[in-house]
Amino acid sequence: MTEKFILTMSCPNQRGIVSKISTAIFRANGDILEADQYDDTTTASFFMRVVFDLAPASEAALQSDLGKLANDLGMQWDLRRDSVRQRVLLLVSKFDHCLVDLLYRWRIGELKMDIAGIVSNHPREVFGPADFGSIPFHYLPVTKETKADQERQIRELVEAEQVDLVVLARYMQILSDEMAAYLSGRCINIHHSFLPGFKGAKPYHQAHSRGVKLIGATAHYVTADLDEGPIVEQDVERVSHSDSPDDLVRKGRDIERRVLARALSFHLEGRALLNGSTTVVFRD
């Protein structure tokens, strides 16, 4: 019996990386199903995502071989079984359209994750008939004076529930620098606007350095710089002079939902890899 595994890795570029990775999988009797790679010539960095079948009994040997390769190549890597679901904590304020959409996609099996809980700075009754089922709901109100304590409670939840990823599903609170650093690489936010807005000289060069995908609603990894984290996914919606403000709000909700869902899916499937201030996203 075999299981599907996903390997993601990055390292300084050099000759022979693909051969060494595939040889390690071959030695473990793995069968490669998918392979994506990217050589970033601007940073001389190499990125790879490999999906393969492997007998679980061979996992330890492969882990050992990959550990040796990591030392030789200066490689950062992650190997996990596709069947092991990541644990996700959802944060939300009053606007619940992204949250409800993620719950629906999770229930129908589109998003393969375990929801560790829902955190809001508003009480449960704000969400009316929204069906949270048996998902734990944590009401953690916050003010300027209590922000540090509220974030401490969120960190305790992350630790206690062994959370792999935090999703800000229209959570309308600015995370502190300390909280952003704590969640570095494992927190995705959806922004209801086109990001980023580039100022000064060489705007296209700035856009490239930030990994811009499209002009539209933006899902990005959270950093201490507000709404300036590495971009995972974007999309666009056309509007015209005949659209009222309510029309724009409605269209905005739709684009936010689909952008956040795609970004979350990319992360869960190991398709989104951090590359400094930008990202490498191996789309399916």
Side-chain angles (χ1 to χ4, degrees), residues 76-93:
Q76 294 183 321
W77 61 286
D78 178 70
L79 176 68
R80 63 179 179 84
R81 301 186 187 194
D82 184 53
S83 60
V84 177
R85 293 173 176 256
Q86 296 185 60
R87 292 181 58 75
V88 178
L89 186 66
L90 304 173
L91 273 61
V92 63
S93 292

Side-chain angles (χ1 to χ4, degrees), residues 61-215:
L62 178 58
Q63 291 266 11
S64 178
D65 283 350
L66 291 173
K68 295 174 184 177
L69 279 179
N71 290 330
D72 294 340
L73 301 175
M75 180 176 82
Q76 294 183 321
W77 61 286
D78 178 70
L79 176 68
R80 63 179 179 84
R81 301 186 187 194
D82 184 53
S83 60
V84 177
R85 293 173 176 256
Q86 296 185 60
R87 292 181 58 75
V88 178
L89 186 66
L90 304 173
L91 273 61
V92 63
S93 292
K94 286 185 177 180
F95 301 112
D96 64 355
H97 53 283
C98 287
L99 171 66
V100 172
D101 181 71
L102 294 180
L103 293 179
Y104 171 74
R105 295 176 191 267
W106 165 69
R107 287 189 172 110
I108 66 173
E110 181 179 324
L111 291 173
K112 297 179 180 179
M113 61 184 180
D114 288 336
I115 300 179
I118 298 169
V119 173
S120 180
N121 55 318
H122 295 279
R124 173 64 182 86
E125 50 267 26
V126 165
F127 304 97
D131 181 11
F132 296 163
S134 59
I135 300 171
F137 181 87
H138 306 274
Y139 170 42
L140 300 180
V142 60
T143 64
K144 183 178 179 180
E145 291 73 24
T146 64
K147 186 178 185 67
D149 184 62
Q150 192 250 20
E151 289 191 341
R152 176 189 57 77
Q153 294 178 71
I154 295 175
R155 289 195 298 270
E156 289 177 353
L157 268 176
V158 169
E159 297 293 336
E161 297 298 329
Q162 298 180 308
V163 169
D164 299 297
L165 179 70
V166 172
V167 176
L168 308 184
R170 291 303 305 272
Y171 180 65
M172 308 305 288
Q173 294 291 317
I174 298 174
L175 301 184
S176 67
D177 290 354
E178 293 77 15
M179 191 66 169
Y182 172 73
L183 295 174
S184 177
R186 52 185 183 140
C187 182
I188 293 177
N189 184 34
I190 182 66
H191 193 277
H192 57 286
S193 184
F194 305 140
L195 289 177
F198 299 111
K199 305 176 181 68
K202 296 185 176 181
Y204 290 106
H205 292 75
Q206 294 181 55
H208 179 269
S209 72
R210 286 286 309 286
V212 163
K213 306 298 186 290
L214 285 172
I215 303 300

